[in-house]
Every structure is written in structure tokens, then in C-alpha cells.
Amino acid sequence: MSARAVAEGGPEPTGGRDTTAGGYERAGGVAASQRRADGQARAAVGHADGYEEQTYYRPLWIEEPARRRRLPDPVRTAAVRAVLIIAVTLIQAVIAFLSTVAESWLAFPMVLSSVASTVVATWAALDVWVTRQVWNQRNGVVSEPSSTARTLRRERRRARRQARATERAQKRIRRQGGTGQLSHP
């Protein structure tokens, strides 16, 4: 990496051809390990007439690509809804247990509501699974012959091909100067 890339805050290798023994990159003869505590460092940038010292800032963080793709919006919405419902159900179950141990009048209504919430939480978890399956069937690449996604892609390709053929025909008519056209648009 050049001194300019280091001066712009580029990533540093941990070994390689242009590194010092400590694994830091050399920036124009000055090791990049000479950083100060505040994140600034000085690098000597070579010019034809001599060296000029520049201050550069190392970036606070370096963004890395995501390991997994983001969930589709409908699936993510269903998952968030399910997590919230399950959290409320667990809170209700704890309150029902504690009020039962304390022999409070609140125990019976809380047990009833936590039973109902358990049914709703089960439905919410199944909703995430069903929504994911439906999304994959409609939009995803599923390696089954009955995949709706494959049929939709085939229809889109056919429409694009037809649009390109129509466009080519129009260009050909224009090149011919309008001959062969029944009426002028």
C-alpha cells in the first residue's frame, strides 16, 4: 500500500512484502506503528525535492460486509412481532407464577391470560415460518419444479425479450426513413 493510501486511512496489513518486522506497513520510510494515542500519526511523503510530513487520521472503524443477507421485510416484520408477543407471554407467565406463590387475587386472571398468550405466541412463531416459506416461494430461488418464482422469472424474461424485439423493429423502421410504416405516429 502506498503512503497516500495510509495517509487516507486505508487498512493496514499484518504481514507481507512492504511491512516492517512488527507487521505494520511502512509509509515512505516511516513505520505506521508510530501512531499517537489520539489516533493521529505522521507519515513522511516523498517528493522530488525532499520529504514532507503529513498528519493523517485512522478511521474509527472499518465496515465489513454482512455475513448473512438481510431478511425480507415481511419476514422481518413477522419475526419482530413474534419476539414481542413471546416476551409479553414470558412476562405474564412470571407474574402469574409469582402471584400464585404469593397467593394474590391476581394469580387466576394472570394464569388465564398467560394461557391465552401462549396460544397467540405459538401462532406468531408459526406465522414467521409461514411468511418465510411464502416469500421464498414467490420471490426466492427454490430448486423445485413447482416454484412460482421460476415461472415469474420466465414471464419477466419473455416480456423483456418482446420489448427488445419491438424496440429493434422501431429502430429499423426509423432507419429506413419511415418506409414500410402504415401511418406516422
Side-chain angles (χ1 to χ4, degrees), residues 7 12 14 24 77-78 90 117 137 150 153 155 175:
E12 304 164 5
T14 56
Y24 291 98
T77 303
L90 289 174
S117 288
Q137 184 71 16
R150 181 173 288 115
R153 282 196 311 273
E155 289 173 3
R175 273 195 312 252

Side-chain angles (χ1 to χ4, degrees), residues 1-20 23-30 32 35 43-44 56 58-59 62:
M1 185 168 17
S2 68
R4 181 175 179 185
V6 171
E8 293 174 356
E12 304 164 5
T14 56
R17 216 175 48 158
D18 196 22
T19 57
T20 60
Y24 291 98
E25 182 170 334
R26 300 177 68 88
V30 176
R35 298 190 187 279
Y56 60 91
R58 188 174 58 170
I62 297 172

Side-chain angles (χ1 to χ4, degrees), residues 55-127:
T55 302
Y56 60 91
Y57 296 91
R58 188 174 58 170
L60 199 55
W61 66 81
I62 297 172
E63 294 201 22
E64 298 176 2
R67 291 189 183 134
R68 293 174 51 181
R69 285 191 314 207
R70 179 176 161 163
L71 280 175
D73 285 340
V75 179
R76 195 170 64 250
T77 303
V80 168
R81 186 184 322 124
V83 166
L84 291 176
I85 291 172
I86 290 170
V88 168
T89 303
L90 289 174
I91 290 170
Q92 281 182 334
V94 168
I95 291 173
F97 173 74
L98 292 177
S99 55
T100 303
V101 169
E103 297 178 359
S104 170
W105 65 270
L106 195 60
F108 183 67
M110 287 306 293
V111 167
L112 286 180
S113 68
S114 56
V115 167
S117 288
T118 303
V119 172
V120 173
T122 305
W123 168 83
L126 282 174
D127 181 48

Side-chain angles (χ1 to χ4, degrees), residues 20 38 46 52 57 62 73 91 101 124 133 138 147 168 170:
T20 60
D38 60 357
E52 176 183 312
Y57 296 91
I62 297 172
D73 285 340
I91 290 170
V101 169
Q133 294 297 330
R138 288 184 182 162
S147 172
R168 278 195 303 266
Q170 288 295 327

